[in-house]
Coordinates of all heavy atoms in Angstrom, one line a residue:
T1145 N 175.9 163.6 140.8 CA 176.6 164.0 139.7 C 176.1 165.0 138.9 O 174.9 165.0 138.4 CB 177.0 162.6 138.7 OG1 177.7 161.8 139.4 CG2 177.6 163.0 137.5
G1146 N 176.8 166.0 138.6 CA 176.4 167.2 137.8 C 177.3 167.2 136.5 O 178.5 167.1 136.5
E1147 N 176.6 167.2 135.3 CA 177.3 167.1 134.0 C 177.5 168.6 133.6 O 176.5 169.4 133.5 CB 176.6 166.2 133.0 CG 176.4 164.9 133.6 CD 176.1 163.8 132.3 OE1 175.5 164.2 131.3 OE2 176.4 162.6 132.5
L1148 N 178.7 168.9 133.1 CA 179.0 170.2 132.9 C 179.5 170.4 131.4 O 180.1 169.6 130.8 CB 180.4 170.6 133.6 CG 180.3 170.3 135.2 CD1 181.7 170.7 135.8 CD2 179.1 171.0 135.8
S1149 N 179.0 171.5 130.9 CA 179.3 172.0 129.6 C 179.9 173.4 129.7 O 179.3 174.4 130.1 CB 178.0 172.1 128.7 OG 178.4 172.6 127.3
D1150 N 181.3 173.4 129.3 CA 182.0 174.7 129.6 C 181.9 175.1 131.0 O 181.8 176.5 131.3 CB 181.6 175.7 128.5 CG 181.9 175.2 127.0 OD1 183.0 174.6 126.8 OD2 181.1 175.5 126.2
G1151 N 181.9 174.3 131.9 CA 181.9 174.7 133.2 C 180.5 174.9 133.9 O 180.3 175.1 135.1
T1152 N 179.4 174.9 133.0 CA 178.1 175.1 133.4 C 177.4 173.9 133.6 O 177.4 173.0 132.7 CB 177.3 176.1 132.5 OG1 178.0 177.3 132.3 CG2 175.9 176.3 132.9
E1153 N 176.6 173.6 134.8 CA 175.9 172.4 135.1 C 174.6 172.4 134.1 O 173.8 173.2 134.4 CB 175.7 172.4 136.5 CG 175.1 171.1 137.0 CD 175.2 171.0 138.5 OE1 174.2 171.4 139.1 OE2 176.1 170.4 139.2
V1154 N 174.5 171.3 133.4 CA 173.4 171.3 132.4 C 172.4 170.1 132.9 O 171.4 169.9 132.4 CB 173.8 171.2 131.0 CG1 174.5 172.5 130.6 CG2 174.8 170.0 130.8
I1155 N 173.1 169.1 133.6 CA 172.3 167.9 133.9 C 172.6 167.6 135.4 O 173.9 167.6 135.7 CB 172.6 166.7 133.0 CG1 172.1 167.0 131.5 CG2 171.9 165.4 133.5 CD1 172.6 165.9 130.7
V1156 N 171.7 167.2 136.2 CA 171.9 166.9 137.5 C 171.4 165.3 137.8 O 170.2 165.1 137.5 CB 171.3 167.8 138.6 CG1 171.5 167.1 140.0 CG2 171.9 169.2 138.5
L1157 N 172.2 164.5 138.3 CA 171.8 163.1 138.5 C 172.0 162.7 140.0 O 173.2 162.5 140.4 CB 172.7 162.1 137.6 CG 172.6 162.4 136.1 CD1 173.6 161.5 135.4 CD2 171.3 162.2 135.6
P1158 N 170.9 162.7 140.8 CA 171.1 162.5 142.2 C 170.8 161.0 142.5 O 170.0 160.4 141.8 CB 170.1 163.5 142.8 CG 169.0 163.5 141.9 CD 169.7 163.3 140.5
S1159 N 171.3 160.6 143.6 CA 171.0 159.1 144.0 C 171.1 159.1 145.6 O 171.9 159.8 146.3 CB 172.0 158.2 143.6 OG 171.8 156.9 144.0
V1160 N 170.1 158.3 146.2 CA 170.0 158.0 147.7 C 169.9 156.5 147.7 O 169.1 156.0 147.1 CB 168.9 158.8 148.3 CG1 168.8 158.3 149.8 CG2 169.0 160.3 148.3
L1161 N 170.7 155.9 148.5 CA 170.7 154.4 148.7 C 170.9 154.1 150.2 O 171.8 154.6 150.9 CB 171.7 153.8 147.9 CG 171.9 152.3 147.8 CD1 172.4 151.8 146.5 CD2 172.9 151.8 149.0
V1162 N 170.2 153.1 150.6 CA 170.3 152.5 152.1 C 170.3 151.1 151.9 O 169.4 150.4 151.0 CB 169.2 153.0 153.0 CG1 169.4 152.4 154.4 CG2 169.2 154.6 153.1
E1163 N 171.3 150.3 152.5 CA 171.2 148.8 152.4 C 171.8 148.3 153.6 O 172.5 149.0 154.4 CB 172.2 148.4 151.2 CG 173.6 148.6 151.3 CD 174.4 148.3 150.1 OE1 173.8 148.1 149.0 OE2 175.6 147.9 150.3
G1164 N 171.4 147.1 153.9 CA 172.0 146.5 155.2 C 171.8 145.0 155.2 O 171.0 144.4 154.3
S1165 N 172.4 144.3 156.0 CA 172.4 142.8 156.2 C 172.6 142.3 157.6 O 173.4 143.0 158.3 CB 173.3 142.2 155.2 OG 174.6 142.3 155.6
V1166 N 172.1 141.3 157.9 CA 172.2 140.6 159.2 C 172.8 139.1 158.9 O 172.1 138.5 158.1 CB 171.0 140.6 160.0 CG1 171.2 139.8 161.3 CG2 170.5 142.0 160.3
R1167 N 173.8 138.7 159.7 CA 174.3 137.3 159.4 C 174.2 136.7 160.9 O 174.6 137.2 161.9 CB 175.6 137.4 159.2 CG 176.4 136.0 159.0 CD 177.8 136.1 158.4 NE 178.7 137.0 159.3 CZ 179.4 136.5 160.2 NH1 179.2 135.2 160.7 NH2 180.1 137.2 161.0
R1168 N 173.6 135.5 160.8 CA 173.6 134.7 162.0 C 174.0 133.2 161.5 O 173.4 132.6 160.7 CB 172.1 134.5 162.5 CG 171.5 135.7 163.1 CD 172.3 136.1 164.4 NE 171.7 137.3 165.1 CZ 172.3 138.5 164.8 NH1 173.4 138.8 164.0 NH2 171.9 139.7 165.3
G1169 N 175.1 132.7 162.1 CA 175.7 131.5 161.6 C 176.0 131.5 160.2 O 176.7 132.4 159.7
N1170 N 175.6 130.5 159.5 CA 175.9 130.5 158.0 C 174.7 131.2 157.2 O 174.9 131.2 156.1 CB 175.9 129.0 157.6 CG 177.2 128.4 158.2 OD1 178.1 129.0 158.4 ND2 177.2 127.0 158.3

């Protein structure tokens, strides 16, 4: 997410996420 002031990027908020799950029976 880049936050813009009058069309100019003034703040950058990056994120990276990895998730997973395994189900066996219940």
Side-chain angles (χ1 to χ4, degrees):
T1145 293
E1147 299 199 337
L1148 310 176
S1149 177
D1150 296 325
T1152 301
E1153 195 170 76
V1154 294
I1155 297 172
V1156 177
L1157 305 173
S1159 175
V1160 177
L1161 179 149
V1162 178
E1163 67 182 26
S1165 68
V1166 176
R1167 180 174 58 86
R1168 292 292 181 268
N1170 291 332

